Structures are given as structure tokens and as C-alpha cells.
Amino acid sequence: MTVKDFGITKDGIATKLYTLKNNNLEISVTDFGSTLVSIVVPDRNNKPTDIVLGYDDVSGYETDDGYYFGCNVGRCANRIARGHFVLNNTEYNLDINNGPNNLHSGLNPYSKRVWTVENQNDTSITFSLESPHMDQGFPGALKMYVTYELLEDGFKINYNATPDKDTIINVTNHSYFNLNGEGSGTVLNHSVKIYADSFTPADETSIPTGEIEAVKDTPMDFNNFKTIGQDINKNYIPLKYANGYDHNWVLATAGDVDRTAVRLVSPETGICLSVRTTEPGIQIYSGNFLDGTIKGKGEIVYNPRTGICLESQHYPDSPNKPQWPSTVLRPGETYQSVCIYGFSIAE
Ligand code: BGC
């Protein structure tokens, strides 16, 4: 483990960048937001390649305007319709920050706070954050833990929390992957396989209709490898509404962390990423709203579709969809969510 200064926040707090390394990969994370800043893996010619979008220091993450590069999004990732839900007969209202809806819990995200380092060693680091009762509008205080742990050919993110009152929780990592190397053009040539027979169609504001729809014979079918670019511009309503891929797939793995949920492969570098998760769904977002105004690492401009997010999570708007896997967490229960990223090189 190496530790470097990552810059001082506007409030004068000194942040750090922690790097964990083994023979196969290196990841760097900061206590600002518990954010994943870089993942460096060798390409097929052994060239070290940083495969996630981000910024060079804390000021970029602090001024980030809704892109959430590498962030752990909580307390409830994704959209909640009209920023409103009912729990135990009580109505709760959240910030409206995305059209008429709440996105990624609103204007005071976990990703813009400085987290505490609870534990660190050569292979793992645990951050924690105290989230009080009514933080972002959610009931119940909880202490959120995020652990990054190096594995031989990848790494694991583990989320944990226990509330003191009934609450809602759904945490995910929002890294934008580009397996050609961050800052090197679009991800449209990446091949993807998603182990899912259905997805949750949504309205124009990306709120699921509540249906579960088969992917067969639609551009949403990634059961056989195909490139992100192959169908992305097809005249298909879900793609038009979301300006590309920005949808939740219902994973056939159904929370089995031993089974692969998604594979992503770059034909250029040969880098392959596999995702496994305890979560029932994955939001796959093809960076449609990266608009070429953002300067990321090394002052490189991030244009549309230059990164893809693979966000393991419960389905969007679950607090308003009682028929779906529940995002309610009660005192005495422990929230646990695991996402494992594995790396290899294509033959
Ligand atoms: C959402 C996108 C949104 C992005 C913000 C994703 O999780 O699905 O619609 O634009 O987050 O960075």
C-alpha cells in the first residue's frame, strides 16, 4: 500500500490517495467519497493501462457536475420517481435533481464527503461514513462501510451497513470503464455479454414502468457477445428515450456472486473484464451524457460514450415497486452487497 496526497478540499481537508498493488493489477482509491480513481492492468502487450475515467486530484471530484466518476453512490443509487416514496405509512421527499426525479440520492451525495479510513493493509482498505437520520431525506442513521480488496486477478468491493430505524438502501460503484484505456475514444467497439434474459423498460424520464420485458429479438439482447455500438443507434424506443444504453438488466445470476453477470472485452488491448455480484440487477450506462465539456485525467476531454458504467444494484425506483426485490433495511439486519471485478487477456 502506498499513500499520496490527493489535494485539499474547499473546506481545507487534506485528502489522500491509497494504492493497492499486486502482480496483476493496481487500484487507487481516495478517502474523498471512497472513490475508485484508477484501475491499472496490463494490456496484451504488457503495457500498463488505466481503464477508468476520472480526475487527477480531489478538485476534479469535488467540482464534478453529476458524472460520478468512480463514486460509490448511496444511500440509494439510481432514480426514485418524483423523489418520493412511502415507508411504514410515512411519506418521504428527496431532492429533485434529474428532470422530475431523484437521481443517485440528490444534491448531497456520499461521493462528495470525506470518508474515514477504518482499516488498511497491503491488500485491502475499508472506508466508513456516518449517515445521520434524514440524511438526503432518508430515515434512519447508519454507518456505511466500503471495503476494496485486491484478489489475485481482480478486486472486490464490499458494502455494509446496519440502520437504527427502517430505511432504504441501494449502493453501487459508478466507475466508467474504457478497456482501450481511459481517454482513448469511445467504447463502441467493446464486446459485451450480459447474462440476462430481461430488462426493466422505463419511461422518457428513465423511471421503470414496472414491467419486466424479454430482451430476445431486441437491441437489449447481449446473451451472445456483441459490440456496444452494433445496435445503439437503432430506432428502438428504450434507446431513444435514454439516448443509448442506460437501463437495468434483470440478471440471470440472481444474486449468485460465483456466477459471471457481465463480460466486457476490448478488441484493441485484449483486456477482458468480468463482473460478478450479489445484486439482482445491473444498470448499464454507455456514457451518453458525457458531453465533451469535461476535462478528466491529464486534461483529456471526455466525449459521449467514452466510458461504460456497469452498476450492480437493485432495480431503479425499487422503493416504489413493491413487487421487486426490496431495498428496505431494518434495524438488526445488515446490508451487504458485493461486486467482484476480474481481469484477463483475450486469446
Ligand atoms: C444513470 C444515468 C446518469 C448517470 C449520471 C447513471 O447511473 O443511469 O442516467 O446520467 O448515472 O452520471
Side-chain angles (χ1 to χ4, degrees):
M1 155 99 58
T2 55
V3 187
K4 282 200 309 207
D5 290 339
F6 201 51
I8 297 176
T9 67
K10 287 181 209 136
D11 293 336
I13 303 172
T15 61
K16 300 277 182 212
L17 187 70
Y18 301 85
T19 301
L20 302 168
K21 189 177 167 133
N22 66 17
N23 288 333
N24 297 316
L25 75 152
E26 178 187 299
I27 64 171
S28 296
V29 295
T30 172
D31 49 0
F32 188 77
S34 70
T35 303
L36 179 58
V37 172
S38 69
I39 305 174
V40 179
V41 290
D43 72 1
R44 61 158 69 90
N45 300 316
N46 244 339
K47 180 176 158 227
T49 308
D50 183 0
I51 55 164
V52 285
L53 278 54
Y55 301 105
D56 288 324
D57 59 25
V58 75
S59 65
Y61 291 95
E62 204 173 13
T63 52
D64 177 275
D65 189 16
Y67 299 105
Y68 303 88
F69 296 122
C71 295
N72 291 310
V73 183
R75 184 176 301 193
C76 187
N78 218 310
R79 291 176 177 79
I80 297 179
R82 309 279 185 271
H84 176 268
F85 66 94
V86 177
L87 180 64
N88 301 335
N89 299 318
T90 304
E91 292 195 35
Y92 294 94
N93 290 295
L94 313 171
D95 298 334
I96 303 299
N97 64 330
N98 187 259
N101 303 317
N102 176 274
L103 175 64
H104 297 329
S105 303
L107 304 172
N108 181 17
Y110 285 1
S111 54
K112 296 222 180 190
R113 308 183 198 180
V114 179
W115 292 49
T116 302
V117 176
E118 289 276 341
N119 273 305
Q120 50 174 305
N121 59 47
D122 277 347
T123 54
S124 81
I125 183 162
T126 300
F127 297 103
S128 71
L129 181 77
E130 299 276 1
S131 177
H133 175 57
M134 295 313 287
D135 191 7
Q136 304 165 316
F138 295 99
L142 54 77
K143 190 168 179 183
M144 186 75 231
Y145 293 91
V146 176
T147 300
Y148 292 90
E149 182 189 344
L150 278 189
L151 307 171
E152 193 176 332
D153 292 314
F155 70 100
K156 169 159 122 178
I157 308 182
N158 191 333
Y159 302 101
N160 258 279
T162 305
D164 68 351
K165 292 186 180 59
D166 290 4
T167 190
I168 297 289
I169 192 164
N170 188 23
V171 186
T172 193
N173 184 269
H174 205 276
S175 289
Y176 291 67
F177 295 93
N178 185 327
L179 303 185
N180 298 335
E182 67 81 27
S184 63
T186 76
V187 292
L188 295 172
N189 69 348
H190 288 36
S191 283
V192 192
K193 180 165 177 159
I194 308 174
Y195 295 73
D197 296 324
S198 50
F199 77 110
T200 53
D203 68 11
E204 299 92 314
T205 72
S206 291
I207 295 297
T209 59
E211 292 145 305
I212 305 277
E213 204 169 296
V215 296
K216 198 167 178 335
D217 300 326
T218 78
M220 313 308 276
D221 190 353
F222 285 89
N223 276 297
N224 297 309
F225 271 107
K226 82 178 174 199
T227 63
I228 297 166
Q230 182 177 309
D231 292 337
I232 199 167
N233 294 319
K234 287 251 164 90
N235 193 11
Y236 175 67
I237 286 174
L239 291 173
K240 294 291 161 206
Y241 280 172
N243 198 26
Y245 291 109
D246 191 0
H247 301 87
N248 169 64
W249 274 259
V250 174
L251 288 172
T253 53
D256 183 351
V257 75
D258 293 328
R259 292 166 61 196
T260 300
V262 177
R263 289 187 196 276
L264 186 68
V265 182
S266 157
E268 275 175 46
T269 58
I271 297 170
C272 307
L273 165 67
S274 70
V275 179
R276 292 184 280 147
T277 177
T278 52
E279 291 296 321
I282 195 155
Q283 179 87 10
I284 300 195
Y285 167 56
S286 52
N288 313 315
F289 302 115
L290 297 172
D291 61 1
T293 59
I294 323 134
K295 282 193 181 149
K297 294 174 185 172
E299 296 286 290
I300 288 176
V301 169
Y302 292 145
N303 284 311
R305 300 180 178 161
T306 54
I308 183 166
C309 300
L310 307 168
E311 309 163 38
S312 61
Q313 58 190 259
H314 276 49
Y315 310 160
D317 198 32
S318 283
N320 293 308
K321 302 281 192 299
Q323 70 274 32
W324 285 354
S326 176
T327 46
V328 176
L329 182 71
R330 303 187 193 281
E333 296 174 350
T334 301
Y335 173 78
Q336 193 182 26
S337 176
V338 173
C339 192
I340 298 176
Y341 305 87
F343 302 99
S344 57
I345 292 292
E347 296 295 306

